Amino acid sequence: MERIRVLLADDHALFRDGLATILATQPDFEVVGEARDGLEALVKARELVPDLILMDIEMPGCDGLEATRQIAQELPAVIVVMLTVRDEDEKLFEAIKSGAQGYLLKSIHSRQILDILRGAVRGEAALTPAMASRVLEEFRHLSRHAPGEQGATLTRREQEVLSLVAEGATDPEIADALYLSLNTVKSHMRNILAKLHVSSRQEAALYARPKQPLKDKGA
C-alpha cells in the first residue's frame, strides 16, 4: 500500500505530537516532517514534496495563510488543509482563496479528520458538512448581489462588526460584544474599509445605516 506522506505545520509541539500519534496508527499515512512556523513549512515542503500538509493558520513569523499561498504557487500538486481553533468565516474564505483544499477546526474528532484527509487526497474538499454549508451560503449571498455592489463581499462577521460601528461602538466595545480579541476587531475593520473602498469608519457606517425618509416639514 502506498502511504500518504504528510507534513505537519503547527507552532505547538504537543498538538503536532498528538496528530503524529493519530496518523502513525493508520497504515495508509506516514508523517515525513514537522514544521514550527510557515517559513519552515515552506522550506520543508520544497525539500520533501509531501502529498499533504496539515497547516495551522496562526503561527509566528510567516503564518499559515502566507505559507499556503507560496506552496500553492510553487507546488500545486501538494494538498494543504488548514487547521485552526477559530471558527470564523473570514479565515475560512481566505484559506480557500489562498489555495487550501480544506479548513478544519482543531476540535474535530480523530476518526472524522482521518476520513476527510483521505477524501482530500482523492480530490475532495476537506470540509465538514457545517463548513461546506457556510461556503455554499456565501456563494448564494454573492450571487444575489449585482457585480460591484458595495458590501457584497463582506463576511457575516464583518457585517456584525459594521452594524456595531454604525451604532457608534468603539473597537473595545465591539470586541466585548462579539467575544473577539481587539486585534481581530481591528483586522475586521481594515478588511471592511478595503472592501467598501472608504477611508474611515464613519464612511463605512453609512453603508450599514438604513436610509431615513425625508420628514414633511409641515408634520
Side-chain angles (χ1 to χ4, degrees), residues 10-215:
D10 195 289
D11 58 325
H12 293 97
L14 186 61
F15 185 75
R16 293 199 312 272
D17 289 346
L19 270 179
T21 299
I22 291 170
L23 294 173
T25 65
Q26 305 300 307
D28 53 340
F29 285 97
E30 177 186 7
V31 176
V32 295
E34 298 184 18
R36 294 163 294 182
D37 56 47
L39 181 58
E40 188 176 11
L42 177 58
V43 171
K44 291 202 171 182
R46 290 167 176 161
E47 174 189 346
L48 300 169
V49 192
D51 302 307
L52 173 68
I53 301 176
L54 296 182
M55 182 86 74
D56 187 19
I57 283 188
E58 296 186 358
M59 294 184 286
C62 174
D63 66 12
L65 292 171
E66 179 57 33
T68 298
R69 280 190 283 268
Q70 292 288 334
I71 291 169
Q73 290 177 2
E74 297 183 27
L75 303 164
V78 175
I79 297 165
V80 179
V81 174
M82 309 301 295
L83 293 174
T84 181
V85 296
R86 296 185 180 277
D87 184 9
E88 296 181 359
D89 287 351
E90 178 190 350
K91 294 295 185 183
L92 165 61
F93 300 128
E94 191 174 352
I96 294 172
K97 290 177 184 176
S98 297
Q101 191 161 317
Y103 183 99
L104 301 172
L105 297 179
K106 290 184 176 180
S107 57
I108 191 172
H109 292 292
S110 59
R111 180 176 298 177
Q112 188 178 19
I113 193 173
L114 290 170
D115 290 340
I116 289 176
L117 294 180
R118 291 184 179 106
V121 174
R122 295 193 297 267
E124 301 171 10
L127 297 168
T128 61
M131 289 288 185
S133 295
R134 284 157 63 178
V135 172
L136 289 174
E137 180 57 34
E138 179 67 8
F139 279 115
R140 293 190 191 103
H141 171 73
L142 292 175
S143 68
R144 290 194 293 266
H145 292 80
E149 181 178 339
Q150 298 285 21
T153 59
L154 293 186
T155 65
R156 181 177 59 189
R157 182 65 84 186
E158 289 167 350
Q159 291 170 8
E160 292 171 346
V161 170
L162 183 56
S163 177
L164 291 173
V165 169
E167 295 174 8
T170 63
D171 285 352
E173 289 170 341
I174 295 171
D176 288 341
L178 299 179
Y179 302 99
L180 300 172
S181 70
L182 186 57
N183 285 336
T184 298
V185 173
K186 290 182 181 296
S187 175
H188 283 315
M189 279 307 309
R190 286 194 297 270
N191 290 334
I192 290 168
L193 295 180
K195 289 179 179 181
L196 296 181
H197 305 292
V198 295
S199 57
S200 71
R201 62 194 296 128
Q202 290 77 18
E203 290 179 84
L206 295 176
Y207 290 98
R209 294 181 184 135
K211 298 186 181 299
Q212 300 295 329
L214 294 175
K215 291 184 179 179

